[in-house]
Amino acid sequence: MNVSANLKTVDNGVNVEALLEAREALSEMPAAAEFTWRASCEWMGGVHSRSTVEGFFGLGEEKTHKQPFVFEADHPAEFAASDFGATPVEMVLSALASCLTAGVASVAQNRGIQLRSVKATVEGDMSLYGILGIDADVRNGFRTIRVNFEIDADASEEEIAAVVAQSQKRSAVFDIVTNPGNVKVAVV
């Protein structure tokens, strides 16, 4: 009996075979798995800034993206700002949603689950009392973050929940948000 004839063919746009090959190759070359991601940021005036992402270090050498990516950050008029871009905290929420969504697509592809649509909605609650120095006991960051997925796929609710759980388990941004690492700030 041909086992491959019984496998469900799905296409979520993720090359799982290449990812699994990379995982195998990197497990034998730990130094190549060490990456350094970079962003540069330039103050544009007020609280408006422009960040550029272009190069990174990985697989033992310097790399560049196909093109530079530019992100505008600012604050809305309610903060006496020009509203030329999303706030940095909104970018964090977007990064979390993007990372988890990419994971959902990858895990679903690997598990033979065809996705029709995936939508993540992320909300974060915070009080400005910390940022504005009104109350030193109030943290500056999010008090709570909620991620809600709407997923239409050829799978049961339990299978979809397992895909989301695995995505969360492997998400770099989820880890960054929930387990902060060492951040060192210096003036050079």
Side-chain angles (χ1 to χ4, degrees):
M1 182 172 163
N2 184 352
V3 175
S4 63
N6 292 333
L7 293 178
K8 203 174 9 170
T9 302
V10 301
D11 184 5
N12 296 322
V14 179
N15 187 341
V16 171
E17 186 177 315
L19 292 174
L20 293 174
E21 288 171 3
R23 180 173 74 177
E24 185 176 326
L26 290 174
S27 68
E28 297 170 12
M29 300 180 298
E34 296 300 318
F35 275 63
T36 301
W37 302 101
R38 296 186 195 99
S40 63
C41 184
E42 183 178 354
W43 173 62
M44 304 307 293
V47 293
H48 178 208
S49 64
R50 181 174 295 133
S51 294
T52 303
V53 173
E54 189 167 10
F56 58 94
F57 180 87
L59 302 176
E61 62 186 7
E62 288 296 324
K63 303 279 189 181
T64 57
H65 288 282
K66 290 181 183 178
Q67 66 185 33
F69 297 101
V70 178
F71 306 93
E72 301 285 329
D74 202 348
H75 289 77
E78 291 77 5
F79 289 83
S82 52
D83 204 13
F84 287 131
T87 66
V89 294
E90 290 167 320
M91 290 181 178
V92 169
L93 295 178
S94 177
L96 178 59
S98 297
C99 194
L100 288 171
T101 300
V104 165
S106 298
V107 173
Q109 181 73 39
N110 191 42
R111 294 185 180 183
I113 297 172
Q114 181 63 55
L115 299 172
R116 287 185 288 278
S117 67
V118 179
K119 181 179 180 183
T121 304
V122 184
E123 296 178 319
D125 300 327
M126 68 173 25
S127 170
L128 298 183
Y129 272 39
I131 296 168
L132 296 175
I134 296 169
D135 185 341
D137 292 330
V138 174
R139 67 175 294 173
N140 295 335
F142 291 117
R143 176 175 61 250
T144 305
I145 296 175
R146 291 174 302 286
V147 181
N148 292 302
F149 275 103
E150 295 175 36
I151 299 174
D152 183 16
D154 291 332
S156 68
E157 286 183 28
E158 293 80 17
E159 290 170 317
I160 292 171
V163 165
V164 172
Q166 183 65 18
S167 171
Q168 180 179 322
K169 183 177 180 181
R170 293 288 168 235
S171 168
V173 178
F174 183 86
D175 181 66
I176 290 165
V177 170
T178 59
N179 301 299
N182 296 321
V183 178
K184 299 173 182 163
V185 179
V187 177
V188 293

